[in-house]
Amino acid sequence: YEARAACLKQDYDRLVIDALEALSGTIIYSTQLGERVSVMDAQPRQGAPSALVIEDARQPSPRRSGTAIAYYNTRANEEGLWVFERKGLVESPQRGQRVSEFVEDGYDSPASWSVAGDRLVFASTAAGDRRSRIYGVWFGEPASVTGLAFGKEPAYHPYLDRIVYNGTNDSGNEPGLWVMNGDGSGRARVTDNGNDSRPVWTPDGAN
């Protein structure tokens, strides 16, 4: 029995290793290192080493194409939404550049990239009334930040210029999940429960 169990475990371990070897890409995540939270990356392999990407950072959100990572900067006097453009291997972790004004920007949930990778949406309670709002960052010349709707936890559609989020109408009523266009137009309520949270689209955007 013990020999049979050992064989089965070996077979299972081999299947796991083969499944991991078939994967491509890089895993980006945040972790606690002592008293600091930092963004790391790792290959999907058993025993693969992790590499430090951004110190004092959390809520990483990689752009679909390219190496940019949006993240929340936790370093004192630098708090807020930043974008780090990773260009090859670096000898020491870099910070990137700040893309918004307030320390609350992107604090509660990761920012989300548009299909083209030229826009970010994020939530912030920076307004004087402390209500959470969805904002968009357009990376033009210069970059600009625009208020889109009342809500939080926005997520871009994988192929369309549509955003799903937990929100309300402009008067603070009708809570639930909403969808809107990337410029804030075409808002429509999807669910009627304000506790519906952290919405994401399926990878194919259809099912």
Side-chain angles (χ1 to χ4, degrees), residues 55 57 206:
E55 290 182 320

Side-chain angles (χ1 to χ4, degrees), residues 166-169 172-178 189-196:
N166 172 290
T168 67
N169 61 19
N173 298 312
E174 299 184 332
L177 296 184
W178 289 65
R189 192 183 186 200
V190 177
T191 70
D192 59 4
N193 187 341
N195 293 319
D196 296 341

Side-chain angles (χ1 to χ4, degrees), residues 2-59:
E2 291 180 357
R4 176 61 176 165
C7 288
L8 289 174
K9 184 179 185 307
Q10 288 179 352
D11 291 343
Y12 175 78
D13 290 344
R14 184 71 257 169
L15 287 172
V16 171
I17 292 172
D18 290 345
L20 289 175
E21 291 293 334
L23 296 175
S24 60
T26 301
I27 299 168
I28 306 290
Y29 63 98
S30 60
T31 190
Q32 187 86 23
L33 297 172
E35 296 182 354
R36 307 170 79 172
V37 178
S38 296
V39 171
M40 313 284 289
D41 72 10
Q43 299 299 310
R45 304 286 183 269
Q46 279 195 333
S50 296
L52 177 61
V53 180
I54 315 167
E55 290 182 320
D56 303 310
R58 62 185 181 87
Q59 308 278 35

Side-chain angles (χ1 to χ4, degrees), residues 3 5 7 20 22 38 43 47 60 78 80 89 104 107 112 128-129 145 152 161 164 183 192 197 199-200 203 205:
C7 288
L20 289 175
S38 296
Q43 299 299 310
E78 295 182 0
L89 296 176
E104 293 92 342
Y107 179 83
S112 181
D129 60 7
V145 179
K152 59 184 180 179
D161 187 34
V164 63
D183 61 1
D192 59 4
S197 61
V200 293

Side-chain angles (χ1 to χ4, degrees), residues 62-80:
R63 186 165 55 194
R64 289 175 176 274
S65 59
T67 56
I69 301 172
Y71 69 97
Y72 182 80
N73 192 339
T74 62
R75 184 169 292 181
N77 300 317
E78 295 182 0
E79 295 96 334

